[in-house]
Amino acid sequence: LMLAAWAIAELTPYEYLSLAEASGAHPPRWLVLVCCAILFAVAYSMPSFLFPTLGIFALVLLGVSSLRSPLHRVLNDSASGFFGLAYVAFPLVLAPMITTQENGTAQLLFLLIVVWAGDITALYIGRTLGRHPMAPILSPKKTWEGAVGSMIGSIVAGLALVACGNHLYRRGIELLLYTQPWWYWVGMAILLNIAAQIGDLLESAIKRGAGIKDSGSILPGHGGVLDRIDALLLALPVL
């Protein structure tokens, strides 16, 4: 899981850096990707050093940018490079770390199901019933009707997963054990759905600021990897 998250985390900052460059910044691409790899290595071997490592990376990026960038771009280049680590790499580092907690695998699966169900429901509800734009400047196609549908879809899918986990537990399978009461998971689904929808809007803001429609083209018909995981990037830290 750590390797899979790292692979995604190397592709996603690469797309993010293209957006940063389109916005006028030129962070040291190679250094950001190396820092991303080191961050995952630290999370795997010495997780307690994760935050100090991020702090060191901020200073390293500032130092390298000071040496390679024009003076008027030093702050923009170093800040945009560090933001790529904080915005993309750090949340993805949390995914495998969550599974090390008690019932962590079940919680991570809950997150994925809730976010994906919300995305799917928002798409269809928004297309059929959407009338009132949610954030027309950031994402003209998103509507309040779709947002409400997304919330309902997340809650229903989350409760269905909890019910499934409890059913399996009664059969002696503890892989999806959810010990908290049902209302706890309703609240968790609401929090994760709100975070996911905000995460989607934040990526839209970055793309529109850069004048780019999709973060990449690696997934035909879907855009880039960042387009597919933007909701998870905010939901993972919330979980």
Side-chain angles (χ1 to χ4, degrees), residues 44-75:
Y44 180 76
S45 57
M46 300 177 292
S48 60
F49 284 86
L50 192 60
F51 284 107
T53 302
L54 271 175
I56 292 172
F57 286 164
L59 299 176
V60 170
L61 284 164
L62 178 59
V64 172
S65 297
S66 298
L67 295 174
R68 66 181 289 274
S69 301
L71 288 178
H72 69 276
R73 251 194 14 234
V74 168
L75 179 59

Side-chain angles (χ1 to χ4, degrees), residues 146-183:
V148 173
S150 174
M151 181 72 71
I152 295 173
S154 290
I155 294 173
V156 172
L159 288 178
L161 181 63
V162 171
C164 178
N166 292 336
H167 176 76
L168 292 175
Y169 179 69
R170 289 193 293 269
R171 299 295 188 275
I173 302 174
E174 299 183 5
L175 181 63
L176 297 179
L177 177 59
Y178 296 98
T179 56
Q180 291 85 354
W182 65 270
W183 51 264

Side-chain angles (χ1 to χ4, degrees), residues 11 16 29 32 35 51 65 102 118 130 142 153 162 210 215 234:
L11 289 172
Y16 159 80
R29 183 182 290 262
V32 174
C35 288
F51 284 107
S65 297
E102 184 179 359
K142 294 191 182 303
V162 171
S215 65
L234 199 61

Side-chain angles (χ1 to χ4, degrees), residues 211-236:
I212 295 177
K213 181 178 183 295
D214 294 322
S215 65
S217 58
I218 193 172
L219 302 174
H222 292 273
V225 178
L226 183 58
D227 294 323
R228 297 276 59 83
I229 67 168
D230 52 3
L232 293 174
L233 295 180
L234 199 61
L236 274 166

